[in-house]
PDB file of all heavy atoms in Angstrom:
ATOM      1  N   GLY A  61      14.733   8.152  -5.630  1.00 94.00           N
ATOM      2  CA  GLY A  61      13.939   7.078  -5.046  1.00 94.00           C
ATOM      3  C   GLY A  61      12.470   7.183  -5.412  1.00 94.00           C
ATOM      4  O   GLY A  61      12.060   8.104  -6.130  1.00 94.00           O
ATOM      5  N   ARG A  62      11.712   6.189  -4.921  1.00 94.00           N
ATOM      6  CA  ARG A  62      10.297   6.154  -5.252  1.00 94.00           C
ATOM      7  C   ARG A  62       9.460   6.135  -3.991  1.00 94.00           C
ATOM      8  O   ARG A  62       9.830   5.552  -2.985  1.00 94.00           O
ATOM      9  CB  ARG A  62       9.994   4.897  -6.069  1.00 94.00           C
ATOM     10  CG  ARG A  62      10.585   4.938  -7.477  1.00 94.00           C
ATOM     11  CD  ARG A  62       9.978   3.833  -8.308  1.00 94.00           C
ATOM     12  NE  ARG A  62      10.296   2.508  -7.753  1.00 94.00           N
ATOM     13  CZ  ARG A  62       9.468   1.463  -7.803  1.00 94.00           C
ATOM     14  NH1 ARG A  62       8.264   1.587  -8.368  1.00 94.00           N
ATOM     15  NH2 ARG A  62       9.823   0.304  -7.309  1.00 94.00           N
ATOM     16  N   ALA A  98      -9.813  31.101  10.903  1.00 94.00           N
ATOM     17  CA  ALA A  98     -10.982  31.847  10.423  1.00 94.00           C
ATOM     18  C   ALA A  98     -12.235  30.966  10.321  1.00 94.00           C
ATOM     19  O   ALA A  98     -13.329  31.477  10.122  1.00 94.00           O
ATOM     20  CB  ALA A  98     -10.684  32.474   9.064  1.00 94.00           C
ATOM     21  N   ALA A 101     -15.192  24.743  13.579  1.00 96.00           N
ATOM     22  CA  ALA A 101     -14.770  23.342  13.626  1.00 96.00           C
ATOM     23  C   ALA A 101     -15.322  22.590  12.420  1.00 96.00           C
ATOM     24  O   ALA A 101     -14.596  21.879  11.724  1.00 96.00           O
ATOM     25  CB  ALA A 101     -15.267  22.705  14.928  1.00 96.00           C
ATOM     26  N   ASP A 119     -22.680  15.618   5.810  1.00 93.00           N
ATOM     27  CA  ASP A 119     -23.080  14.546   6.727  1.00 93.00           C
ATOM     28  C   ASP A 119     -21.856  13.796   7.248  1.00 93.00           C
ATOM     29  O   ASP A 119     -21.797  13.442   8.421  1.00 93.00           O
ATOM     30  CB  ASP A 119     -24.026  13.570   6.013  1.00 93.00           C
ATOM     31  CG  ASP A 119     -25.388  14.194   5.773  1.00 93.00           C
ATOM     32  OD1 ASP A 119     -25.694  15.192   6.474  1.00 93.00           O
ATOM     33  OD2 ASP A 119     -26.120  13.711   4.895  1.00 93.00           O
ATOM     34  N   ASN A 157     -11.562  13.048   3.621  1.00 92.00           N
ATOM     35  CA  ASN A 157     -11.626  12.601   2.224  1.00 92.00           C
ATOM     36  C   ASN A 157     -11.365  11.100   2.058  1.00 92.00           C
ATOM     37  O   ASN A 157     -10.996  10.661   0.981  1.00 92.00           O
ATOM     38  CB  ASN A 157     -10.621  13.397   1.385  1.00 92.00           C
ATOM     39  CG  ASN A 157     -11.033  14.850   1.271  1.00 92.00           C
ATOM     40  OD1 ASN A 157     -12.230  15.153   1.207  1.00 92.00           O
ATOM     41  ND2 ASN A 157     -10.070  15.750   1.251  1.00 92.00           N
ATOM     42  N   ALA A 169       1.857  16.015  21.504  1.00 88.00           N
ATOM     43  CA  ALA A 169       2.995  16.587  22.222  1.00 88.00           C
ATOM     44  C   ALA A 169       2.582  17.757  23.101  1.00 88.00           C
ATOM     45  O   ALA A 169       3.202  18.024  24.125  1.00 88.00           O
ATOM     46  CB  ALA A 169       4.071  17.028  21.238  1.00 88.00           C
ATOM     47  N   SER A 173      -1.446  14.470  29.657  1.00 83.00           N
ATOM     48  CA  SER A 173      -1.451  13.023  29.427  1.00 83.00           C
ATOM     49  C   SER A 173      -2.863  12.442  29.408  1.00 83.00           C
ATOM     50  O   SER A 173      -3.123  11.473  28.688  1.00 83.00           O
ATOM     51  CB  SER A 173      -0.583  12.306  30.474  1.00 83.00           C
ATOM     52  OG  SER A 173      -0.993  12.697  31.775  1.00 83.00           O
ATOM     53  N   GLN A 176      -4.182  13.215  26.114  1.00 90.00           N
ATOM     54  CA  GLN A 176      -3.316  12.586  25.113  1.00 90.00           C
ATOM     55  C   GLN A 176      -3.849  11.213  24.713  1.00 90.00           C
ATOM     56  O   GLN A 176      -3.979  10.899  23.529  1.00 90.00           O
ATOM     57  CB  GLN A 176      -1.908  12.468  25.695  1.00 90.00           C
ATOM     58  CG  GLN A 176      -0.965  11.626  24.878  1.00 90.00           C
ATOM     59  CD  GLN A 176       0.425  11.599  25.507  1.00 90.00           C
ATOM     60  OE1 GLN A 176       1.026  12.651  25.742  1.00 90.00           O
ATOM     61  NE2 GLN A 176       0.912  10.408  25.801  1.00 90.00           N
ATOM     62  N   VAL A 179      -6.921  11.363  22.474  1.00 92.00           N
ATOM     63  CA  VAL A 179      -6.655  11.694  21.072  1.00 92.00           C
ATOM     64  C   VAL A 179      -6.049  10.496  20.350  1.00 92.00           C
ATOM     65  O   VAL A 179      -6.441  10.166  19.213  1.00 92.00           O
ATOM     66  CB  VAL A 179      -5.737  12.936  20.962  1.00 92.00           C
ATOM     67  CG1 VAL A 179      -5.277  13.145  19.525  1.00 92.00           C
ATOM     68  CG2 VAL A 179      -6.461  14.170  21.480  1.00 92.00           C
ATOM     69  N   GLN A 206       2.100   1.251  22.860  1.00 93.00           N
ATOM     70  CA  GLN A 206       0.775   0.729  22.539  1.00 93.00           C
ATOM     71  C   GLN A 206       0.719   0.104  21.143  1.00 93.00           C
ATOM     72  O   GLN A 206      -0.246  -0.557  20.789  1.00 93.00           O
ATOM     73  CB  GLN A 206      -0.272   1.848  22.639  1.00 93.00           C
ATOM     74  CG  GLN A 206      -0.374   2.474  24.015  1.00 93.00           C
ATOM     75  CD  GLN A 206      -1.279   3.692  24.014  1.00 93.00           C
ATOM     76  OE1 GLN A 206      -2.166   3.801  23.198  1.00 93.00           O
ATOM     77  NE2 GLN A 206      -1.040   4.596  24.957  1.00 93.00           N
TER      78      GLN A 206
END
Side-chain angles (χ1 to χ4, degrees):
Chain A
R62 290 193 298 146
D119 289 340
N157 292 325
S173 53
Q176 170 178 304
V179 171
Q206 300 172 26

